[in-house]
Amino acid sequence: MSEGLDTPASGGAQQALEAFTGKWRQRWPEWTLAEVFLSAPQRPLALAWAALQQELCDAAWGGSDARPGEAKLAWWAEELAGWGRGMRRHPLGAVLQARATAWPTLAASLPTLAASRGRPGDPAEAANALKSFAHAITLVDAELFGSEGPAGPGTEDIRVALACLQQARFQQGDDGHVPSSLGRAWDADARARWAALLLADWPPMHGPRPRRLWATLAHLRLERGDGVSPAPAWRVVWHAWRAARN
């Protein structure tokens, strides 16, 4: 572990950690309802892991200029590789770093995440652009929360992680992720058609419980039409309960 870092219990480290997890909670207010279906030990892990995924996706897809995000992803590639060697600098590492070993694999997938910023030609290209990152995500999922299959994460796990990523791209507020085969850029109808296609091809709920809950919330938001509006509380509770029991 790197020397000179605050411990997770120290005030400065806790505030820094909450600055990142708070951004995720602000974007996903439904999580306050859904997280009750996780065990107490899983909740801080799930929150920190969700916040890290958001940081990476925002770096890859956010802003009108790709260069700042590319620099952030390069920093994260170094940071995650360091996590694999027992070192950390980022506050999220205080919760996550020692709980998994697949961080170098996640780091190695970041160039493909950066490349996914470009508008895909069709739905198949959109999915293929994210498969490497989705696979790395499932490896971390399994280590943090336990794999539900004897051979670890498989094809269905990757499909669920991929579905979550495709919904997450709607959060960026542009249409750069909508396949050009569905219509012109900045076309609200094309955005709606893309959401409908993702819903029609949504995979069965699979993987560890936190991933099933995230996928459920992503599905509920796509059902809202714009892909980003929070779902009503009663639907969150009902569908999160069903996902937790799956």
Side-chain angles (χ1 to χ4, degrees):
M1 192 69 67
S2 297
E3 296 181 359
L5 287 172
D6 291 332
T7 64
S10 69
Q14 186 63 28
Q15 290 179 0
L17 175 64
E18 289 176 356
F20 288 96
T21 58
K23 286 195 296 182
W24 193 82
R25 282 193 181 278
Q26 184 176 22
R27 191 173 293 180
W28 289 94
E30 306 100 305
W31 187 244
T32 300
L33 299 171
E35 70 178 342
V36 301
F37 297 103
L38 297 180
S39 66
Q42 282 187 327
R43 292 176 193 173
L45 278 176
L47 183 59
W49 177 216
L52 174 55
Q53 292 171 78
Q54 179 170 280
E55 289 296 312
L56 298 177
C57 289
D58 282 355
W61 302 328
S64 58
D65 186 346
R67 288 171 294 181
E70 290 171 351
K72 287 182 181 179
L73 289 178
W75 185 92
W76 269 113
E78 292 182 1
E79 175 72 359
L80 293 170
W83 287 10
R85 299 190 299 271
M87 300 179 291
R88 62 172 173 82
R89 294 170 292 179
H90 197 278
L92 291 171
V95 178
L96 296 171
Q97 178 263 320
R99 303 301 293 266
T101 64
W103 305 120
T105 303
L106 185 65
S109 73
L110 294 185
T112 66
L113 177 62
S116 72
R117 180 184 179 95
R119 194 177 193 203
D122 55 37
E125 184 179 337
N128 287 334
L130 289 169
K131 280 185 177 177
S132 176
F133 185 61
H135 177 254
I137 281 176
T138 64
L139 296 178
V140 177
D141 278 355
E143 290 190 312
L144 293 179
F145 310 114
S147 173
E148 299 190 357
T155 302
E156 290 304 311
D157 302 86
I158 296 172
R159 288 187 65 205
V160 174
L162 177 61
C164 290
L165 289 170
Q166 290 182 306
Q167 183 279 329
R169 186 68 188 268
F170 280 78
Q171 304 283 160
Q172 298 302 322
D174 62 41
D175 293 336
H177 63 297
V178 178
S180 57
S181 62
L182 298 181
R184 295 177 299 174
W186 303 100
D187 183 341
D189 291 337
R191 189 181 176 97
R193 286 193 291 271
W194 183 219
L197 278 176
L198 292 175
L199 285 171
D201 194 40
W202 202 261
M205 291 303 172
H206 209 268
R209 183 175 292 183
R211 178 59 57 190
R212 301 199 305 269
L213 291 174
W214 292 326
T216 294
L217 296 183
H219 190 275
L220 289 173
R221 284 201 171 188
L222 285 174
E223 287 181 335
R224 303 282 284 169
D226 61 2
V228 296
S229 296
W234 71 268
R235 285 182 60 79
V236 171
V237 172
W238 170 246
H239 287 279
W241 175 74
R242 292 182 63 189
R245 293 179 69 242
N246 184 18

